Amino acid sequence: MSEDLESGQTKYFKLTSDIDMQDLDWTPANNEAPYDKAIDFDGNGKVLSNFSCNVASMPSLLGVLNGSVRNVTFKGAEVGKSNVGYVGIIAGGVDKDQTAGTISNVTIDGCKVVGKQLTGAIVGNAGKTTFTDCVVRNSTITATGSGIGGICGFSTAEVTFDNCSVSFDAGKGIAASKYIGGIIGRATAG
């Protein structure tokens, strides 16, 4: 994906089948400044299983989301490291000044997300983001620092949640030192 992205342009991706990403350590598609590479990702109702990303900068599918992600389920994903911030399965961040994100019909099921701070199952740090019909279930989100949430860890701009839910089975859940929430850990604006 990262090879197809271009500054100032929107690139479109659509899954046509389920993908098992076992034994593949992913590098985020848009994790270098100025984050102006726009992405429209349609999961087409498919499943990405065993997704793994453990890089040192914004471990996630996209790095920084500038665009939209929809209609995809992640099962058994493992993302992040205990000494890294800005961690989420879809994006480490959505930059409040330069980009906007839309995330809809995304399911996170049986996943493990680990970070230092600004860590969420879907997005670590959100700015100008709309979450619609997002579900997080049976997953574990842990961090050594603060700003940890079931969907989003931290928000620095207006975020909207519409018909979203987070639920945990026994032995799963959220753990951090402070600013912890089922949907969002901490919101400082909007």
Side-chain angles (χ1 to χ4, degrees), residues 168-181:
F168 300 106
D169 287 344
K172 307 290 184 180
I174 303 171
S177 63
K178 65 180 180 176
Y179 302 127
I180 304 165

Side-chain angles (χ1 to χ4, degrees), residues 93-116:
V94 180
D95 189 328
K96 70 176 183 152
D97 297 323
Q98 298 176 6
T99 62
T102 302
I103 300 171
S104 59
N105 196 27
V106 169
T107 299
I108 306 298
D109 188 5
C111 298
K112 180 180 178 183
V113 181
V114 177
K116 180 178 181 182

Side-chain angles (χ1 to χ4, degrees), residues 29-30 42 48 75 97 123 161 190:
N30 187 29
D42 183 359
L48 289 175
K75 286 190 177 179
D97 297 323
V123 172
F161 299 96

Side-chain angles (χ1 to χ4, degrees), residues 73-155:
T73 295
F74 286 82
K75 286 190 177 179
E78 292 193 13
V79 175
K81 296 179 178 184
S82 62
N83 62 345
V84 175
Y86 297 89
V87 180
I89 291 175
I90 298 293
V94 180
D95 189 328
K96 70 176 183 152
D97 297 323
Q98 298 176 6
T99 62
T102 302
I103 300 171
S104 59
N105 196 27
V106 169
T107 299
I108 306 298
D109 188 5
C111 298
K112 180 180 178 183
V113 181
V114 177
K116 180 178 181 182
Q117 59 194 16
L118 310 178
T119 300
I122 297 178
V123 172
N125 183 30
K128 295 182 184 177
T129 308
T130 300
F131 298 88
T132 305
D133 299 320
C134 293
V135 175
V136 176
R137 62 179 174 238
N138 193 28
S139 297
T140 304
I141 304 119
T142 57
T144 56
S146 64
I148 314 306
I151 291 179
C152 174
F154 189 79
S155 171

